[in-house]
Every structure is written in structure tokens, then in C-alpha cells.
Amino acid sequence: RAKMQQRTGHLYFSRSMGIDIRERVNMMHALRTAFEEKQLFVVYQPQIDLVTRAPVGAEALLRWQTEDNTMISPNRFIPIAEYSGLIIELGEWVLRQACQELVRIQRLGFSNFMMSVNVSQVQFRHPHFLGMLRKALEDTNAPPHCIELEITESMAMEEPDALIKLLDQIAATGVSIAIDDFGTGFSSLSHLQKLNVDRLKIDRTFVMEITDSSRGSSIAEMIIQLGRNLELDVIAEGVEDERQAKILTELGCPFGQGYLFSHPLNPDALHDWLSHHKQH
Ligand code: C2E
Ligand code: MG
Ligand code: MG
Ligand code: MG
């Protein structure tokens, strides 16, 4: 059964996504057109200090709103962008947008504000990734130590030697690295220890399942403990209610992000939100 699933894995994937080949090709064209016609935009979800509730940063998230006002989820179109190669251009554009937005926010007085940007596997493995990053920082004047790249746990596990080198080169620019959706992959702890990364991002599914009764055995708690042992920062994503925020805080998780604090916001709404959440 496992063998058969493996063989037909691709089919399973496309069926479960509800996207057949024709649909995928159509979407590829539509996405390119949307990009050219500026129907793509970036929203920013605040990240907060769980103890003080002060804003510390934001994550840039890509949005696609079609002409008839339908929103298409990045979970659907990012794989298409990766498949078609458009992600290279698109990813650079998102990074530059995020850098420019960071500069604006810092000018509003949030001088230590951090900006997190998701990076796809395809971008990360591209030979010009590092050059692209350096150029984007230079052109936008964004302070590198306030930029964080989010890579996924599976990306952090491939080709160890090349990865270790790339992470060191990124660290040399001043930019930091977070491992996104942490806990959903299969990273080996000994490997993790060798990587020049700065932060673990607890996946939303583990935040959803923390309850008072699971205390001491929850995956979220283990990740917080792991962060402490490896001297990595930890942020919880998908915090939706006060109970989760309370438990995470008690477990010593320093940072949080989720609908409880704010949904992703367009720049104007973010500036407005920030003006009501000034650091004290
Ligand atoms: P992610 O990086 O793990 O981003 C977190 C996702 O969780 C976002 O979904 C965000 O809107 C959502 N979220 C935040 N707080 C909550 C909450 O409290 N509850 C729930 N239910 N959801 C919450 P979004 O924006 O739909 O993005 C989905 C995924 O698409 C992202 O997951 C990321 O993997 C990818 N993505 C988004 N923008 C980009 C991008 O610019 N580049 C790349 N490569 N990937 C992107
Ligand atoms: Mg992310
Ligand atoms: Mg995530
Ligand atoms: Mg996630």
C-alpha cells in the first residue's frame, strides 16, 4: 500500500489539491499576467513580544486578488510559481517590497522592528540567491540585521554541506534565518545543531493543540525547550486565543504571531495598528 501510494504520489497530490495539469497550466499563465498587471500584493502580519505584547516585527505574506475579487491562497499559487520558475522573480519582488516597508516602519520610530520574509526552496537553491539578497539590501537601504528569512524545516535538511555554507554566507550579510513550520518535518537534532540559524517558528498545528492538560508533553513545549538548549529564539505562529498565549508565555516562549494579535494587514492598516501599539 505504501509502495503504491509512493508510485501514484504525484496523482494523489494533484487530486488532493484539486488541480489537474490543464488547470495548473492555466493558473501558471494567470499568475504571470497577475504579476505583470500588479494584482499581487504583500500584507504584513505583526509579531509581538508575548510578555509585553509590544510589536517586534512582521511577516510579509503574498496575496493574489483576481480581477473578479477572488482571493487565491498562496498555498495554491506558490507551488505553481515554483513549478513555473516565476518564483525567482516573484520572490525577489516580495523581498524588495518587504525591505522598503521595513524602512518605512523604522522611520515611524520602530527602530528595531524586524521583517520576516518567506523564501521558497527553489529561490534558496538558485545560484544567484546570495547576490540577489545583497543587491536587494543595498538598493533598499534595509538594515540586514532587521531582516529574517524563513526557510522550511525540509529545506534545512537537504544537502547539508552546501546548506551549511549558504547559511554562513547569509549570516555574514547580517540577515537572520528562521525555520518555519518547525516540528512538521523530520529534522535530526544533531544536524540542526550544526546550522547557523537564529529562530524556530512553532507550527500552528502545535499551537492549536496546546491545552492545560497537555502541559509537559506538548510538542510546542519541547520546541521551546529545544530553543533554550540550542540558544535559538522561538516564535509561535497561529496564536488565536488568550488561553494559548497564556500557556505559551508560561512555557517561556518569547514571541507570538496570530489572529489574536492581528491578521495580516496592508501597509496603511499596519501603520495604523502600530500607532496604537507603541512600544513603552
Ligand atoms: P507560513 O509562512 O507558515 O505563514 C503563516 C500562515 O498562517 C499565513 O497564511 C497566515 O496568514 C496564517 N495565519 C497567521 N495567523 C494565523 C492564525 O492565527 N490562524 C490561522 N488559521 N492562520 C494564521 P497565508 O498568508 O495564507 O500563507 C500560507 C503559506 O504560503 C505561508 O505559510 C507560506 O508558506 C506561503 N507564502 C506566503 N507568502 C509567501 C511568499 O512571499 N513567498 C513564499 N515562498 N511563500 C509564501
Ligand atoms: Mg512563514
Ligand atoms: Mg509558518
Ligand atoms: Mg505553518
Side-chain angles (χ1 to χ4, degrees):
R1 167 125 185 99
K3 225 178 197 167
M4 178 152 131
Q5 263 193 338
Q6 220 169 40
R7 225 184 302 139
T8 56
H10 211 72
L11 194 68
Y12 267 84
F13 175 75
S14 28
R15 283 231 179 109
S16 66
M17 303 288 287
I19 301 172
D20 65 20
I21 302 287
R22 187 185 303 277
E23 236 179 283
R24 209 185 300 188
V25 171
N26 286 342
M27 207 163 159
M28 251 163 67
H29 290 304
L31 181 59
R32 170 153 288 283
T33 309
F35 183 42
E36 282 160 4
E37 292 180 356
K38 303 189 166 56
Q39 289 167 15
L40 300 183
F41 57 100
V42 183
V43 289
Y44 301 89
Q45 186 175 36
Q47 300 178 334
I48 59 108
D49 176 320
L50 278 172
V51 175
T52 64
R53 299 282 171 108
V56 292
E59 177 179 7
L61 294 159
L62 190 55
R63 291 289 175 268
W64 177 9
Q65 188 166 15
T66 62
E67 271 175 322
D68 61 1
N69 288 331
T70 313
M71 289 290 268
I72 302 180
S73 165
N75 287 320
R76 281 188 77 203
F77 72 78
I78 294 286
I80 307 277
E82 289 175 331
Y83 185 77
S84 68
L86 183 65
I87 193 70
I88 299 296
E89 250 176 279
L90 199 51
E92 177 174 356
W93 180 77
V94 172
L95 176 65
R96 283 171 176 266
Q97 293 284 311
C99 284
Q100 287 166 1
E101 183 52 35
L102 173 67
V103 170
R104 267 180 237 124
I105 292 169
Q106 292 197 340
R107 283 203 196 113
L108 292 176
F110 296 87
S111 52
N112 296 315
F113 200 84
M114 294 280 302
M115 184 62 77
S116 303
V117 182
N118 292 285
V119 172
S120 133
Q121 160 100 305
V122 178
Q123 271 181 290
F124 203 59
R125 291 294 173 188
H126 193 272
H128 296 305
F129 181 73
L130 197 66
M132 183 283 289
L133 174 64
R134 288 200 187 108
K135 188 80 173 43
L137 295 168
E138 199 183 297
D139 290 351
T140 60
N141 276 319
H145 62 278
C146 295
I147 300 281
E148 177 183 74
L149 302 177
E150 296 189 4
I151 64 171
T152 62
E153 195 177 0
S154 56
M155 282 160 71
M157 293 306 128
E158 277 170 19
E159 282 183 76
D161 295 339
L163 180 76
I164 287 168
K165 188 175 165 211
L166 179 58
L167 292 176
D168 287 343
Q169 288 171 318
I170 292 172
T173 68
V175 167
S176 56
I177 299 276
I179 304 185
D180 205 353
D181 304 334
F182 192 78
T184 60
F186 301 93
S187 48
S188 99
L189 297 185
S190 62
H191 178 61
L192 184 63
Q193 206 169 12
K194 290 184 204 135
L195 300 180
N196 202 341
V197 299
D198 305 274
R199 188 146 85 150
L200 303 177
K201 216 169 170 183
I202 305 173
D203 191 67
R204 186 165 70 83
T205 52
F206 306 123
V207 173
M208 278 168 65
E209 65 191 27
I210 50 168
T211 57
D212 292 286
S213 62
S214 73
R215 205 170 291 193
S217 60
S218 73
I219 292 175
E221 177 161 15
M222 287 192 270
I223 297 172
I224 294 163
Q225 194 60 51
L226 181 67
R228 208 171 282 141
N229 294 340
L230 296 180
E231 295 181 351
L232 299 174
D233 258 329
V234 176
I235 179 165
E237 71 175 10
V239 182
E240 292 185 352
D241 60 54
E242 282 294 350
R243 192 185 45 90
Q244 293 165 343
K246 180 170 173 281
I247 297 173
L248 286 163
T249 311
E250 286 167 4
L251 293 174
C253 181
F255 304 111
Q257 174 183 347
Y259 296 163
L260 173 63
F261 314 113
S262 173
H263 280 255
L265 304 168
N266 64 40
D268 285 345
L270 176 66
H271 300 169
D272 203 49
W273 186 90
L274 284 172
S275 71
H276 292 102
H277 293 80
K278 281 239 159 66
Q279 283 151 310
H280 296 292

